[in-house]
Amino acid sequence: EISRKASRFQPIYNSGIHNENIKVLAPSQFVITVPLRGLFGYREHQTRHWRYYTVQGAKLHSSVRDPEELHQWLEVEQFAKSLPQWHENDVNIEGDLVPAKVLTVFRELVEKSIISCNLSNKVTMLESFSSVVRVAVETSELQVEVELAPAVEIPTCWPKKSKWPRCFKHWPSQEKVQCIKSLGFDLLARSSYHWQLCFFRAEHVLMQGLDEDGGCRMKCFRVMRQMKEDVWCAGNKPVITAYHLQTVLFWTCEKYPRTKDWCCFREAFLRLVRKLHKCVSQHFLKHYFVKNTNLLKYTNTSDLDLVANKLAVFLENPVLCLD
């Protein structure tokens, strides 16, 4: 319905749980990326000209905060071809594609489409302290919270900010690295100022081929996720999400690349939990593809300490059916 109203937003045809546009953070917390249409032939700029805007898209003369490693600016001139709609004032200021303005347009479309699709009894817009578009959706089992993030898909290149792999590693293989880099990346509209680098496709491929050698990596991940949801970090809005666990898994796979490291489930699982405990205790978890980014930087430290204490108790006496 949104795509019918505005051609800049691409429809998502497949709503299955294995859709690459859908990211599960927790049982009742999702991120859905909405591809943007009409931007082709991306070129990365060598120089940075950081410009800043209010949530409403008005230009500021000085920065509110420094750009982080996971963010970058985006200009319409960085694309070899673009539809005329991306040059209009509702999303563009002096050639800059402004996330806050894109999100404002998108939010209005979501609100109108909820009504036109007769979904007002099932879908509710949620208030947000930022520009992010969030809705509450009533399903047959429970209410879930969904962030809808407009995304510029860039399948043609790998961002220079990602120095991955940092050196030759046994995991993943060189062939898998080349395959992953060929998938490119996305830029998400999730803030007022900068577009956020996103590697959902790359992460999806990494997860798919984890146990090609017959190891127990996925089993460890599933059990750790279940323990997080049931014991260590329960609730509708956990401070540690499935995405954090996935990142911990990637780092552990890189450190322990051999097949024999993943033959014994008990040993492999406890090794993974110890890594998680270290990250949560130190309030520091590096993004797997952009190493200078701390995924726990803005997480409540008191909540992290509570999770760290629960993990420490578990590690002292790991009572769990680990066979």
Side-chain angles (χ1 to χ4, degrees):
E1 178 68 12
I2 291 171
S3 181
R4 189 182 63 80
K5 286 180 167 69
S7 61
R8 284 182 290 204
F9 299 93
Q10 184 174 312
I12 301 173
Y13 296 104
N14 176 17
S15 61
I17 60 173
H18 298 297
N19 190 321
E20 292 180 8
N21 295 95
I22 301 174
K23 194 72 173 178
V24 181
L25 302 181
S28 60
Q29 194 175 10
F30 298 79
V31 174
I32 297 179
T33 57
V34 181
L36 297 178
R37 179 190 283 153
L39 294 167
F40 312 99
Y42 172 79
R43 300 181 297 262
E44 190 159 3
H45 274 188
Q46 297 295 325
T47 57
R48 297 182 182 182
H49 300 289
W50 296 104
R51 293 170 288 275
Y52 296 84
Y53 303 88
T54 65
V55 174
Q56 290 74 30
K59 198 168 184 177
L60 299 174
H61 294 293
S62 61
S63 64
V64 175
R65 60 181 174 84
D66 290 334
E68 299 179 356
E69 285 297 317
L70 206 59
H71 294 83
Q72 71 169 61
W73 202 249
L74 192 62
E75 300 173 57
V76 73
E77 289 183 357
Q78 289 180 250
F79 297 92
K81 184 180 179 182
S82 56
L83 292 178
Q85 292 94 319
W86 292 111
H87 297 260
E88 295 177 2
N89 293 334
D90 60 346
V91 295
N92 188 317
I93 297 181
E94 298 180 13
D96 298 330
L97 294 176
V98 184
K101 293 179 78 67
V102 173
L103 286 165
T104 297
V105 171
F106 184 61
R107 174 181 289 275
E108 293 175 358
L109 288 166
V110 173
E111 291 173 344
K112 291 177 181 177
S113 296
I114 289 173
I115 296 172
S116 61
C117 291
N118 297 317
L119 292 172
S120 299
N121 61 330
K122 292 185 178 181
V123 183
T124 307
M125 297 294 299
L126 296 175
E127 292 297 325
S128 177
F129 63 88
S130 64
S131 308
V132 172
V133 176
R134 293 162 50 243
V135 295
V137 182
E138 293 289 344
T139 71
S140 57
E141 297 182 1
L142 77 164
Q143 185 183 82
V144 299
E145 184 178 303
V146 182
E147 177 190 345
L148 299 168
V152 179
E153 295 184 338
I154 303 173
T156 55
C157 64
W158 190 255
K160 291 185 173 66
K161 279 193 173 185
S162 175
K163 310 298 183 183
W164 180 84
R166 284 151 287 282
C167 58
F168 175 74
K169 298 287 184 180
H170 294 287
W171 188 93
S173 67
Q174 290 297 101
E175 293 78 9
K176 181 62 70 70
V177 168
Q178 294 304 316
C179 171
I180 288 171
K181 284 193 166 186
S182 71
L183 298 173
F185 66 107
D186 295 340
L187 290 171
L188 304 186
R190 302 183 81 178
S191 68
S192 300
Y193 315 105
H194 317 120
W195 294 79
Q196 179 182 312
L197 275 73
C198 173
F199 300 88
F200 284 172
R201 286 190 301 279
E203 291 156 356
H204 180 74
V205 171
L206 270 180
M207 290 295 286
Q208 275 188 325
L210 274 181
D211 290 324
E212 292 173 343
D213 59 359
C216 61
R217 299 169 187 83
M218 278 305 298
K219 182 179 179 181
C220 290
F221 175 75
R222 286 193 295 266
V223 174
M224 185 168 65
R225 184 178 60 191
Q226 196 64 52
M227 289 292 291
K228 176 199 75 72
E229 294 170 0
D230 295 344
V231 183
W232 303 329
C233 193
N236 293 332
K237 296 182 179 180
V239 292
I240 300 297
T241 68
Y243 188 77
H244 293 128
L245 300 186
Q246 175 184 274
T247 305
V248 168
L249 177 63
F250 289 160
W251 283 118
T252 309
C253 287
E254 188 172 292
K255 186 174 181 179
Y256 298 92
R258 298 174 300 180
T259 301
K260 70 176 186 178
D261 295 323
W262 300 92
C263 289
C264 175
F265 171 70
R266 181 185 180 88
E267 291 179 7
F269 178 75
L270 292 178
R271 184 192 304 126
L272 205 55
V273 177
R274 285 193 291 270
K275 173 66 174 177
L276 175 63
H277 177 253
K278 180 181 178 181
C279 294
V280 174
S281 300
Q282 296 178 348
H283 309 160
F284 187 80
L285 173 59
K286 287 190 297 185
H287 190 282
Y288 186 62
F289 292 110
V290 185
K291 66 176 182 177
N292 292 331
T293 298
N294 177 14
L295 294 177
L296 301 178
K297 183 175 182 178
Y298 297 107
T299 307
N300 185 290
T301 55
S302 297
D303 291 340
L304 288 175
D305 291 339
L306 287 174
V307 175
N309 289 335
K310 291 180 181 180
L311 289 167
V313 170
F314 172 80
L315 288 170
E316 287 176 5
N317 182 27
V319 179
L320 175 69
C321 182
L322 293 175
D323 299 324

